[in-house]
């Protein structure tokens, strides 16, 4: 999956110690199992264990690997199949001739798995990776023993996102890898070479690296690195010098995990959509294992979540109600179970949680289950408690989120909740197929739109620095812009330790406008004028009301909305997108604003005071 740790080595030194040290450098990425394979005296030796590297190291203590100068290692962030010893990588072919490690999702793995089982192969795990090990072992003889050619043959059959690294006991001086839509870099040493999912794994040994491109295969020995495309044609890859130190490398060269995770949002959104619409353009969420009849029988949806996850639920409410005509209640988990809520067998309760361990949400989930409700988790951490205790789960594929302030998880929670909404509409027949396809197409275009916002963040950073002395910032929004305003305020509170509050813009005149005085910064999430013109007109009035009282108005407004420029002190532009898509682009400047404000104030952005990444107490 998006953030597994990969290390490969071939050279003069002991492979094991280099690989384990490399995997340690990748620990920050989060993982739930680890393993290593080496070639020794014509045999492949594998040691792998669920849990942290310490578990693997104690296994290696009691059951050591033989000496070897060729090996591969992996830390797994579970996707297909929970974090168990058998699901840990490396995976072996049946005859133990080939070992494979993998980062990504192989979308067509179930048909490949069926083909293998039909041919009598016994699979030892639930993973998509193991399928590749068997296919490679079958392809090597066809390729006259040529592992790179066998890898190319197999890769041509794979769909999805993958970095694969393989070794063959018959070729002990060779490590072969392939990549599509998933990172892979080569570390070029003297008489030794390295492969890794990011440079942090080998930067202690060499700073000379090669960045592999899309659909490429690399054959690596101690003295040679050959790169081809999937058809075997040699390709030039550009070398680069790593000028990061190891700790910066862990953040992919970013100063902060939060900056890295903000930058990962286009990929996180793309990964969370991947494979969830089939060739017939129907939403396919088979992994949810929720009976369609049941989904037709429910008469309301209740979202339970905390913090940012609750804000994501609020965004999703507008979409799911619009698409399914089902009432959607969004409940703060900490309030839910103490207010004697009305849920039962006709309710679909959706627990949204990045960590899957938030105690408030877990306790609310248990309460909902006790009332007989059907439960679905939207979660970013495979195998965590909340999905395990839910009837079904839809995973977001944001990859581990290290910074306490949630960013990419928020966008992918919206994506997952939208997919559930579209799936409900599909199953219940409240949207035509072409309408569902149209929305999915809009979603598919969002990674590129988020990318565009990321390219234009300097103005909002400058504003944050200019306003770093502010004592309070208000956020306004309407419709789906309202939960975005709440999320922007939450980010600013938890990062800059500054008072910030989000309001439904229509609420201003019912009290909050008394807060406005000279110089108060007000950030306004402006609805698209093309979406609901009435909403745009009303928010322009709200801007006029606060400016008339001295507010400094910063409008987050779409490109082409010239009206707003006449009324706001500053305009931060975002791409024009349909109404329900706007939270995916409008949130990003607010994340950057809060991050820059905290940085300007010299605060610890990744680990803000008083906060934990996962609140496992009630
Ligand atoms: C968001 O920036 C905060 N870190 C916090 O509100 C978080 O969203 C909340 O604690 C819920 O966490 P979860 O998604 O892991 O359940």
């Amino acid at each position: 999956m998006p953030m597994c740790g990969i290390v490969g080595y071939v050279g003069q030194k002991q492979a094991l110690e280099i690989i384990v040290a490399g995997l340690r450098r990748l620990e920050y990425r989060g993982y739930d199992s680890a393993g290593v394979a080496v070639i020794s005296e014509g045999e492949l030796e594998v040691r792998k264990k669920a849990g942290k590297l310490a578990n693997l190291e104690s296994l290696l203590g009691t059951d050591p690997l033989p000496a070897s100068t060729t090996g591969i290692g992996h830390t797994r962030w579970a996707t297909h199949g929970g974090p168990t010893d058998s699901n840990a990588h490396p995976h072996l072919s049946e005859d133990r001739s080939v070992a494979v490690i993998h980062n990504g999702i192989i979308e067509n793995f179930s048909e490949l798995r069926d083909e293998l089982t039909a041919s009598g192969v016994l699979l030892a795990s639930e993973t998509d990776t193991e399928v590749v090990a068997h296919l490679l072992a079958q392809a090597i003889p066809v390729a006259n023993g040529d592992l790179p050619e066998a890898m190319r043959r197999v890769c041509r059959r794979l769909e999805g996102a993958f970095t694969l690294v393989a070794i063959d006991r018959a070729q002990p001086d060779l490590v072969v890898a392939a990549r599509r839509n998933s990172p892979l870099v080569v570390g070029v040493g003297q008489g030794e070479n390295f492969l890794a999912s990011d440079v942090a794994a080998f930067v202690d040994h060499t700073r000379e690296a090669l960045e592999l491109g899309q659909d490429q295969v690399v054959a690596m020995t101690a003295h040679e690195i050959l790169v081809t495309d999937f058809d075997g044609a040699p390709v030039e890859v550009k070398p680069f010098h790593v000028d990061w130190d190891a700790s910066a490398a862990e953040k992919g060269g970013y100063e902060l995990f939060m900056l890295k995770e903000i930058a990962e949002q286009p990929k996180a959104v793309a990964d969370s959509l991947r494979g969830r619409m089939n060739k017939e353009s129907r939403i396919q969420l088979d992994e949810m294992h929720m009976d369609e009849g049941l989904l037709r029988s429910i008469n309301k949806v209740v979202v339970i979540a905390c913090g940012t996850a609750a804000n994501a639920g609020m965004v999703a409410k507008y979409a799911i109600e619009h698409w399914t005509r089902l009432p959607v209640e969004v409940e703060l988990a900490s309030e839910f179970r103490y207010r004697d809520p009305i849920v039962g067998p006709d309710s679909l309760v959706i627990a949204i949680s990045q960590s899957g361990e938030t105690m408030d949400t877990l306790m609310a989930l248990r309460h909902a289950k006790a009332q007989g409700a059907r439960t679905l988790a939207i979660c970013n951490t495979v195998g965590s408690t909340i999905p395990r205790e839910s009837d079904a789960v839809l995973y977001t594929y944001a990859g581990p989120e290290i910074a306490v302030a949630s960013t990419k998880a928020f966008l992918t929670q919206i994506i997952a909740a939208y997919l559930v909404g579209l799936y409900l509409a599909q199953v219940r027949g409240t949207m035509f197929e072409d309408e569902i396809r149209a929305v999915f197409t809009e979603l598919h275009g969002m990674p590129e739109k988020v990318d565009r916002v990321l390219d234009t963040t300097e103005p909002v950073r400058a504003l944050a620095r200019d306003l770093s002395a502010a004592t309070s910032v208000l956020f306004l929004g309407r419709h789906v812009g309202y939960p975005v305003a709440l999320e922007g305020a939450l980010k600013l509170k938890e990062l800059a330790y500054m008072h910030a509050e989000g309001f439904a813009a229509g609420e201003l005149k019912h009290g909050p406008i008394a807060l406005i005085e000279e110089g108060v910064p007000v950030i306004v999430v402006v609805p698209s004028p093309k979406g609901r013109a009435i909403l745009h007109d009303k928010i322009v009035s709200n801007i006029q009301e606060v400016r008339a009282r001295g507010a400094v108005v910063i409008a987050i407004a779409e490109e082409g909305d010239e009206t707003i420029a006449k009324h706001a002190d500053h305009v931060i532009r975002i791409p024009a997108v349909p109404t329900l898509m706007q939270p995916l682009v409008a949130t990003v400047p607010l994340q950057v604003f809060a991050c820059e404000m905290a940085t300007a104030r010299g605060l610890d952005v990744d680990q803000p005071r008083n906060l934990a990444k996962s609140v496992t107490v009630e």
Side-chain angles (χ1 to χ4, degrees):
M1 230 353 267
M3 302 297 278
C4 299
I6 278 189
V7 182
Y9 176 78
V10 57
Q12 328 300 330
K13 301 180 186 119
Q14 280 309 304
L16 177 63
E17 61 192 61
I18 289 180
I19 289 167
V20 172
L23 292 177
R24 278 225 172 284
R25 286 285 187 206
L26 303 179
E27 276 199 293
Y28 71 89
R29 305 160 72 98
Y31 64 100
D32 39 45
S33 60
V36 184
V38 297
I39 302 175
S40 171
E41 293 166 13
E43 288 307 326
L44 262 178
E45 292 286 340
V46 177
R47 301 290 185 278
K48 57 187 189 174
K49 198 79 188 136
K52 295 304 179 192
L53 273 174
N55 292 9
L56 176 64
E57 287 177 312
S58 56
L59 172 66
L60 289 165
T62 55
D63 184 8
L65 279 170
S68 170
T69 58
T70 302
I72 57 179
H74 187 265
T75 48
R76 179 172 182 251
W77 175 260
T79 52
H80 294 82
T84 61
D85 294 359
S86 64
N87 286 336
H89 301 203
H91 285 282
L92 287 170
S93 54
E94 254 185 333
D95 62 2
R96 299 182 64 85
S97 64
V98 172
V100 176
I101 56 179
H102 166 223
N103 183 1
I105 307 174
I106 293 165
E107 285 170 28
N108 60 331
F109 101 93
S110 44
E111 61 197 74
L112 295 170
R113 179 191 54 198
D114 297 348
E115 181 192 299
L116 285 166
T117 34
S119 69
V121 172
L122 281 180
L123 292 167
S125 78
E126 309 158 276
T127 66
D128 50 350
T129 310
E130 185 191 347
V131 162
V132 175
H134 298 301
L135 291 174
L136 266 179
Q138 291 177 353
I140 288 172
V142 177
N144 301 319
D146 183 312
L147 181 58
E149 177 53 26
M151 178 66 87
R152 286 188 286 267
R153 283 169 175 271
V154 171
C155 286
R156 289 197 292 266
R157 299 191 61 199
L158 303 181
E159 293 167 20
F162 49 86
T163 293
L164 296 167
V165 185
I167 50 179
D168 170 3
R169 67 182 173 195
Q171 306 178 61
D173 304 321
L174 178 66
V175 178
V176 172
R179 67 144 296 184
R180 169 182 286 169
N181 291 327
S182 180
L184 181 65
V185 282
V186 178
V188 185
Q190 301 297 324
E192 60 183 7
N193 289 310
F194 307 76
L195 278 167
S197 33
D198 79 42
V199 296
F202 57 69
V203 74
D204 295 330
H205 302 278
T206 177
R207 289 172 176 275
E208 303 315 315
L210 303 172
E211 174 82 40
L212 291 192
Q214 185 75 327
D215 287 11
Q216 292 183 352
V217 169
V218 56
M220 183 177 87
T221 63
H223 301 285
E224 192 173 44
I225 296 164
L226 296 176
V227 184
T228 70
D229 61 19
F230 280 3
D231 295 323
V235 292
E236 282 303 306
V237 279
K238 58 181 189 309
F240 67 95
H241 177 78
V242 181
D243 49 18
W244 304 322
D245 62 25
S247 74
E250 287 179 356
K251 302 183 184 84
Y254 289 93
E255 279 302 304
L256 301 164
F257 278 118
M258 185 174 177
L259 289 174
K260 174 172 173 286
E261 288 152 14
I262 287 173
E264 284 169 344
Q265 292 183 111
K267 181 177 184 314
V269 167
D271 283 343
S272 298
L273 286 167
R274 198 183 301 281
R276 287 170 166 171
M277 174 167 269
N278 65 18
K279 294 186 172 63
E280 291 74 46
S281 295
R282 287 178 60 80
I283 303 290
Q284 64 169 8
L285 302 182
D286 309 354
E287 68 219 82
M288 266 182 16
H289 305 304
M290 266 204 146
D291 173 63
E292 292 197 2
L294 179 151
L295 294 176
R296 273 191 281 273
S297 70
I298 57 164
N299 61 19
K300 80 171 172 178
V301 174
V302 180
V303 174
I304 51 175
C306 303
T308 288
N311 293 336
M314 283 182 69
V315 168
K317 168 189 171 72
Y318 292 89
I320 297 174
E321 287 188 339
H322 181 64
W323 293 332
T324 66
R325 307 316 295 154
L326 278 170
V328 177
E329 295 168 17
V330 182
E331 296 277 351
L332 291 174
S334 54
E335 287 293 310
F336 176 73
R337 75 187 178 111
Y338 297 111
R339 72 165 187 79
D340 195 9
I342 301 165
V343 288
D346 298 338
S347 313
L348 173 63
V349 172
I350 302 177
I352 303 180
S353 175
Q354 188 286 130
S355 63
E357 301 298 345
T358 299
M359 190 53 72
D360 286 325
T361 308
L362 177 59
M363 300 311 282
L365 172 73
R366 287 178 180 164
H367 184 85
K369 284 182 73 174
Q371 308 299 313
R374 314 301 182 158
T375 59
L376 165 67
I378 288 178
C379 186
N380 193 43
T381 309
V382 174
S384 54
T385 307
I386 287 170
R388 249 201 338 267
E389 295 197 13
S390 299
D391 297 325
V393 55
L394 188 65
Y395 284 113
T396 54
Y397 289 130
E401 190 178 65
I402 310 298
V404 166
S406 191
T407 50
K408 60 180 182 172
F410 179 69
L411 263 59
T412 56
Q413 284 160 357
I414 292 171
I415 293 292
Y418 277 15
L419 287 167
V420 171
L422 291 171
Y423 188 66
L424 282 170
Q426 177 174 287
V427 164
R428 299 169 64 93
T430 52
M431 283 171 82
F432 294 121
E433 285 168 22
D434 55 349
E435 292 172 319
I436 293 170
R437 191 164 45 245
V439 174
F440 195 86
T441 305
E442 287 166 7
L443 287 169
H444 227 264
M446 291 315 291
E448 185 272 329
K449 300 281 195 312
V450 175
D451 231 358
R452 275 173 43 200
V453 179
L454 291 170
D455 289 342
T456 58
T457 57
E458 195 35 50
V460 78
R461 291 180 198 286
L463 268 176
R465 292 191 292 271
D466 294 347
L467 294 169
S468 60
T471 54
S472 172
V473 176
L474 307 185
F475 292 77
L476 304 184
R478 281 185 179 264
H479 198 262
V480 285
Y482 167 38
V484 173
L486 296 178
E487 176 59 13
L490 174 60
K491 288 279 120 7
L492 198 56
K493 277 182 263 207
E494 63 179 334
L495 289 164
Y497 313 158
M498 175 192 291
H499 173 259
E501 199 163 347
F503 299 101
E507 269 300 286
L508 264 178
K509 54 190 174 301
H510 301 290
I513 198 160
L515 291 170
I516 304 298
E517 55 193 20
E518 194 57 35
V520 170
V522 177
I523 297 179
V524 184
V525 181
V526 179
S528 164
K530 300 189 285 294
R532 299 278 296 276
I534 181 74
L535 291 176
H536 186 269
D537 296 347
K538 287 190 175 301
I539 215 138
V540 167
S541 308
N542 298 138
I543 290 174
Q544 290 167 324
E545 286 154 21
V546 296
R547 278 199 89 196
R549 291 162 176 79
V552 172
V553 172
I554 300 155
I556 311 292
E558 73 177 29
E559 292 150 356
D561 177 354
E562 292 320 320
T563 308
I564 215 67
K566 294 188 217 109
H567 300 284
D569 297 284
H570 308 278
V571 181
I572 300 294
R573 291 293 178 186
I574 53 176
V577 295
T579 297
L580 293 174
M581 301 296 137
Q582 200 192 55
L584 295 165
V585 286
T587 306
V588 177
L590 306 186
Q591 296 166 342
V592 171
F593 181 82
C595 183
E596 191 67 22
M597 182 75 86
T599 304
R601 292 183 152 201
L603 302 174
D604 181 346
V605 174
D606 284 338
Q607 305 288 339
R609 70 184 180 195
N610 312 339
L611 295 177
K613 182 58 186 169
S614 178
V615 183
T616 54
V617 292
E618 256 210 300

